[in-house]
Amino acid sequence: MATFLARHGHARASIAALPGDASARRYLRLEGAELLLMEDRTDPVGFAAFLRIARHLNTLGLSAPRVIGADPAVGLALIEDFGLTTYSAQLARGVDEEKLYRLATDALLHLHGHPLAADVTAPEYDLATLLDELSIFSQWFLGALRPDEDVAGFDQEFRTLWAKALEPLKNAPQTLVLRDFHVDNLMELEGRGGIQRCGLLDFQDAVLGPAEYDLVSLLQDARRDLSDGLEAKMLAHYIECAPEHAGGADAIAHRYHLLGAQRHTRIAGVFMRLAKRDGKPGYLTFMPRVLRQMQAAFAAAQLHEIKELIDKTIPEWRDAGAAIAKHT
């Protein structure tokens, strides 16, 4: 690390670690330099993806941290420091919520309307991947609540129903999907105008897939509730301004709710896995909200057969959120 910093002219830099999250990646701030040292020695694929996607987003006219220098062999990169003004911090300070969400929605509209958005190397977010993510619910959520259940049998039927439900996504317009587009990974950047005022973080897991996924990440956040009516208002704004190839209001809304149901189902399994396998029970605090969102999305997307299967197999699932959260 010292050698890397010296190579880039920061041998004497004072560094301070930033709080971590669910990943193994860590960031250290170079005091007074407006730079961060990014370190990840465990995921070379994700490390390379971060650098590649950051550069691509900047070429599209969006604000991702500029990469100043990198050494993939040792998992170190020097990147632009966007500071402390995350959406989460801004919201806690009372900054206008609608203003921030409209800015983020406009950034997505810019991305989804850009003809070169998908012109980057990234995995395809195809049906097989979506179904594999849903199996996390079978293995970890069902496995935790009903350990004697036939998980393999449930998962087979579960995947069959979902494969049918997800068919509308096959012909959906494809774009770059950042995957973790929510308030902890967005920043309001002073001194920049328009959509460039929205700073983008944590996009190394980006894929090529349906545009509405990131809108769901933003407006149906697993970690916070939006003000009454704000989700509907931003969804309407997105639909009104969406590119023509998106297919119109009904198609966008259906994909939005369908992807919401898939996302919340996956997250319920992921949060349980983080608690049970990785020793991170704090994520269970969000389980009541995730399960409420999951139920609402099932209704909006009319996924009656899938809901009936879960109801039959885990009758207590709809009311399990509070009990699960007590294990934090």
Side-chain angles (χ1 to χ4, degrees):
M1 187 179 291
T3 302
F4 177 82
L5 288 173
R7 189 186 311 150
H8 292 281
H10 297 281
R12 298 183 179 182
S14 176
I15 59 177
L18 302 184
D21 58 13
S23 73
R25 182 174 293 112
R26 69 169 181 156
Y27 296 90
L28 301 100
R29 173 165 284 127
L30 277 63
E31 301 293 348
E34 297 185 349
L35 295 172
L36 294 177
L37 180 64
M38 183 177 78
E39 179 187 28
D40 190 347
R41 305 173 192 272
T42 65
D43 181 15
V45 174
F47 183 88
F50 181 95
L51 303 182
R52 182 172 62 252
I53 300 299
R55 290 169 175 139
H56 181 62
L57 289 169
N58 280 311
T59 65
L60 298 179
L62 293 160
S63 292
R66 291 180 300 109
V67 179
I68 309 303
D71 188 344
V74 294
L76 293 172
L78 202 59
I79 64 174
E80 182 180 11
D81 182 2
F82 279 167
L84 303 172
T85 54
T86 64
Y87 268 35
S88 296
Q90 294 289 76
L91 290 165
R93 283 196 287 267
V95 172
D96 185 83
E97 183 184 29
E98 183 175 336
K99 181 192 76 169
L100 292 176
Y101 276 86
R102 183 174 291 271
L103 174 60
T105 302
D106 286 341
L108 285 180
L109 284 163
H110 176 87
L111 175 63
H112 299 164
H114 200 293
L116 299 179
D119 191 17
V120 64
T121 300
E124 289 190 15
Y125 204 26
D126 55 15
L127 179 61
T129 303
L130 290 163
L131 293 176
D132 286 345
E133 290 182 343
L134 289 160
S135 289
I136 299 172
F137 177 87
S138 304
Q139 295 160 8
W140 291 97
F141 190 91
L142 172 62
L145 268 64
R146 290 296 178 105
D148 297 328
E149 186 65 43
D150 177 10
V151 172
F154 171 88
D155 189 55
Q156 183 177 5
E157 185 175 358
F158 198 51
R159 290 172 68 105
T160 298
L161 293 175
W162 272 106
K164 179 181 177 182
L166 293 171
E167 284 184 0
L169 300 182
K170 290 181 179 179
N171 298 319
Q174 301 292 287
T175 189
L176 182 64
V177 178
L178 304 184
R179 292 295 304 276
D180 290 312
F181 196 85
H182 55 73
V183 294
D184 291 338
N185 292 330
L186 297 172
M187 306 196 74
E188 185 180 22
L189 304 179
E190 296 181 4
R192 302 192 189 189
I195 57 162
Q196 292 189 339
R197 193 170 178 83
C198 183
L200 310 176
L201 306 175
D202 200 11
F203 37 72
Q204 67 278 350
D205 294 325
V207 293
L208 301 178
E212 294 82 8
Y213 189 91
D214 279 341
L215 190 65
V216 171
S217 301
L218 176 68
L219 301 181
Q220 296 187 13
D221 197 325
R223 305 187 191 197
R224 73 178 301 270
D225 294 319
L226 277 63
S227 298
D228 289 345
L230 183 58
E231 178 190 357
K233 191 170 187 178
M234 290 300 100
L235 177 57
H237 173 63
Y238 180 91
I239 290 173
E240 180 182 1
C241 302
E244 289 186 10
H245 65 253
D250 290 344
I252 293 171
H254 183 60
R255 291 194 298 265
Y256 174 83
H257 294 303
L258 188 58
L259 288 163
Q262 191 274 349
R263 177 176 169 82
H264 302 317
T265 303
R266 174 183 67 85
I267 289 177
V270 168
F271 282 175
M272 195 68 81
R273 184 175 66 184
L274 283 167
K276 298 291 186 180
R277 186 191 71 182
D278 302 334
K280 297 179 178 180
Y283 288 90
L284 297 181
T285 303
F286 306 115
M287 192 67 83
R289 178 182 294 107
V290 170
L291 295 182
R292 290 195 304 270
Q293 292 171 324
M294 189 172 156
Q295 293 175 60
F298 279 171
Q302 300 184 36
L303 300 178
H304 307 304
E305 290 182 288
I306 295 172
K307 181 178 176 297
E308 287 173 3
L309 174 62
I310 299 175
D311 287 345
K312 179 181 70 176
T313 311
I314 322 171
E316 71 276 23
W317 78 275
R318 286 171 293 177
D319 302 314
I324 292 171
K326 289 180 180 178
H327 292 287
T328 57

